[in-house]
Amino acid sequence: MSAPHPLGLHPTKIIAVHVNYRRRAAERGGAPSVPSYFLKPPSSLSCDGADLLRPQGCELMVVEGEIAVVIGARANRVSPDEALQYVAGYLPANDAGVFDFRAADRGSNLRTKGQDGFTPVGSAMLGAAGVDPSTLVVRTYVNGELRQDSTGDEMLFPVARLVADLSRMMTLEPDDLILTGTPAGAGVVQPGDVVEVELVGVCRLRNRIVEATEPLAPYGAMPDATPEARAAATGRSEPPARNAPLSAYTMELLHRVCTATISTQLRRRGLDHHVIAGLRPTRPDLRLVGFARTLRYLPLREDVSARLGGADNAQKRAVDTLQPSEVLVIDCRQEPGAGTIGDILALTAIQRGAAGIVTDGGLRDTAAVTGLDIPTYYGTAHPAVLGRRHVPVDVDLPVSCGGALVLPGDVLVGDGDGVVVIPRDVADEVATGAAAQEDEEAFIAERVRAGDSLIGLYPMDAARRAEYEAWRGGQP
């Protein structure tokens, strides 16, 4: 830092918590059982009004609003019950980073989040005496738009536990900072963006993103916006195995066989509950084949909607981060009283390369969506926005859609009959079995047209199967 901090802070260490908010944990695939941490150098400390420099060659600068705990007294092996006595106060903080260095860091976060000036904290502190940290409210704005909004009571590991846990193994010194984790909604920013982190009732920390004027010297790791880094920076966990494609042969079969045939093959494997029921297609002429990307809506509650339903809500994040061949699957509890997606987001899904959209709720802008080249299945048409009935809350978790359980990465196939869900690990054998079944049914249909009886033909007995094998051998 080029100038002293206005509060005169001189931390010996800055400790940051990896994941500590419930919704953030849901975005990342589940809540940890214990807190985990990384260190940021004291030289990363900065203050209100200082620029945040994005190194040249980087694309993935991320800002994360947090509540910073300032240690007030030397703490070593303190218990959770006494831990808050060692806290001087609380500040807004921005745990900034450039994810283009994640691969080089190999988990340390040193280059990613430890660069000079990457830990700006507020210029006013709320004294800890008499303060319950679970009541603190932290909000992050980018160019005036609310990105993050949460309270301390959403923390998985409260402040007292963090202080006690860390003091078991290291001595916390006065002015040391603990960044308590970031709520859901953090995201990538660009040069020129203005980021504000507010600890409500205390102060607002303001910093502008600026492109560095000098190139990074070439001796050492250089920025690399890998797919893994890009996924992490945009709020997704490491790209899951579901993104690895099925074989071209399996995909070709799934584009050809009927959902009715697939349903039979799933039943033969003991999977009866695989149909997303009650849906209609906007475009029966378009075939749906892709991998589930799940989004969950909960019933409207005004206070929760105010916190979670802003401009950077789970719906927008899900659509904005769709990958090619993914199907957006929306769990709306089969609620018909509001639209759940419309033409602009459907068009965005097309631009992202999505394979389709499936919602068991209402569809807005139905005529416009029908005109788009994306297979869309929905429960009903409805003109109202989702906020009339729903709050978007979770992405990439198991959901119920049309009465069927859908896991992230499940294979979805849709045609005029509806949509079926295929577990990823049986997709190859189901596709192969369905193709064989339809070959048999083509033979049966030919014999029925010739006037043959169904007896012994459907299903085939040994004699008929011998006829079928001979027929199949003569097919082109």
Side-chain angles (χ1 to χ4, degrees):
M1 186 179 66
S2 58
H5 191 276
L7 295 178
L9 296 174
H10 295 285
T12 65
K13 48 192 168 292
I14 301 171
I15 304 166
V17 183
H18 277 115
V19 177
N20 195 26
Y21 279 77
R22 291 184 180 87
R23 283 186 292 131
R24 177 76 163 178
E27 288 180 349
R28 303 285 165 150
S33 58
V34 294
S36 63
Y37 311 93
F38 59 93
L39 282 168
K40 302 188 75 171
S43 59
S44 71
L45 184 65
S46 184
C47 60
D48 181 60
D51 289 339
L52 277 167
L53 296 183
R54 189 181 79 169
Q56 289 189 17
C58 289
E59 303 176 32
L60 305 175
M61 188 159 202
V62 174
V63 291
E64 300 179 351
E66 309 203 6
I67 299 170
V69 176
V70 183
I71 297 299
R74 198 167 188 267
N76 181 262
R77 298 184 182 180
V78 302
S79 71
D81 291 339
E82 60 184 345
L84 294 183
Q85 301 172 26
Y86 295 82
V87 175
Y90 305 96
L91 302 167
N94 186 343
D95 180 19
V98 279
F99 280 48
D100 311 72
F101 289 98
R102 277 173 65 91
D105 273 348
R106 299 184 182 181
S108 74
N109 271 344
L110 181 62
R111 298 176 183 89
T112 300
K113 293 197 168 188
Q115 299 188 34
D116 286 354
F118 272 23
T119 314
V121 301
S123 298
M125 182 174 73
L126 175 66
V131 172
D132 178 357
S134 70
T135 65
L136 299 178
V137 179
V138 62
R139 293 175 179 149
T140 304
Y141 302 84
V142 177
N143 300 326
E145 179 182 299
L146 183 65
R147 285 280 188 92
Q148 296 177 289
D149 184 3
S150 193
T151 56
D153 63 357
E154 203 200 342
M155 289 185 188
L156 296 165
F157 311 108
V159 170
R161 178 168 176 184
L162 298 176
V163 173
D165 180 30
L166 289 165
S167 75
R168 294 183 308 150
M169 300 176 182
M170 66 189 72
T171 300
L172 300 175
E173 303 287 355
D175 283 359
D176 282 355
L177 296 175
I178 302 173
L179 307 187
T180 55
T182 195
V188 175
V189 290
Q190 305 296 332
D193 288 345
V194 175
V195 182
E196 296 172 284
V197 181
E198 179 185 19
L199 189 56
V200 175
V202 182
C203 70
R204 188 177 286 206
L205 169 69
R206 186 177 188 273
N207 304 96
R208 182 181 295 275
I209 311 302
V210 176
E211 185 83 359
T213 57
E214 297 182 5
L216 193 65
Y219 35 87
M222 300 301 286
D224 184 6
T226 65
E228 294 81 5
R230 194 176 301 281
T234 54
R236 302 275 301 275
S237 57
E238 297 299 315
R242 67 172 181 266
N243 288 343
L246 294 171
S247 71
Y249 177 66
T250 294
M251 293 297 287
E252 187 274 326
L253 294 181
L254 292 176
H255 276 90
R256 173 163 62 86
V257 297
C258 298
T259 56
T261 310
I262 293 172
S263 178
T264 299
Q265 291 296 316
L266 288 167
R267 289 199 66 198
R268 288 177 181 176
R269 289 160 177 81
L271 297 168
D272 275 332
H273 300 90
H274 54 262
V275 177
I276 300 180
L279 306 188
R280 68 194 76 178
T282 56
R283 294 280 302 273
D285 58 310
L286 296 180
R287 180 79 171 187
L288 172 70
V289 179
F291 307 103
R293 177 87 196 280
T294 58
L295 169 63
R296 185 168 68 114
Y297 295 163
L298 289 181
L300 176 66
R301 202 179 86 184
E302 288 76 6
D303 62 319
V304 177
S305 180
R307 287 174 54 196
L308 307 186
D312 188 38
N313 61 46
Q315 181 202 49
K316 300 285 180 60
R317 294 196 302 274
V319 173
D320 255 346
T321 55
L322 281 168
Q323 296 181 18
S325 79
E326 289 187 330
V327 178
L328 181 64
V329 181
I330 309 176
D331 172 5
C332 308
R333 312 173 313 285
Q334 303 181 65
E335 163 61 61
T340 59
I341 196 163
D343 59 340
I344 297 299
L345 293 187
L347 181 59
T348 303
I350 292 173
Q351 296 302 111
R352 300 290 183 270
I357 299 169
V358 176
T359 173
D360 63 1
L363 178 68
R364 298 184 72 217
D365 311 309
T366 306
V369 176
T370 299
L372 298 175
D373 289 328
I374 185 169
T376 302
Y377 290 77
Y378 64 102
T380 186
H382 202 288
V385 297
L386 67 88
R388 184 171 182 266
R389 287 284 190 270
H390 307 288
V391 182
V393 292
D394 294 316
V395 177
D396 295 332
L397 294 176
V399 298
S400 169
C401 187
L405 173 62
V406 182
L407 304 182
D410 279 344
V411 181
L412 270 64
V413 179
D415 60 15
D417 281 350
V419 181
V420 293
V421 182
I422 309 173
R424 183 65 174 265
D425 58 356
V426 298
D428 292 320
E429 62 182 88
V430 166
T432 302
Q437 179 183 331
E438 292 198 349
D439 281 347
E440 293 181 8
E441 291 176 354
F443 166 74
I444 292 169
E446 181 179 295
R447 298 317 309 155
V448 168
R449 292 190 187 96
D452 288 8
S453 168
L454 290 176
I455 304 302
L457 178 64
Y458 189 61
M460 288 187 283
D461 58 21
R464 285 297 199 177
R465 183 157 296 279
E467 290 180 34
Y468 161 68
E469 293 296 343
W471 173 89
R472 187 177 65 169
Q475 297 301 303

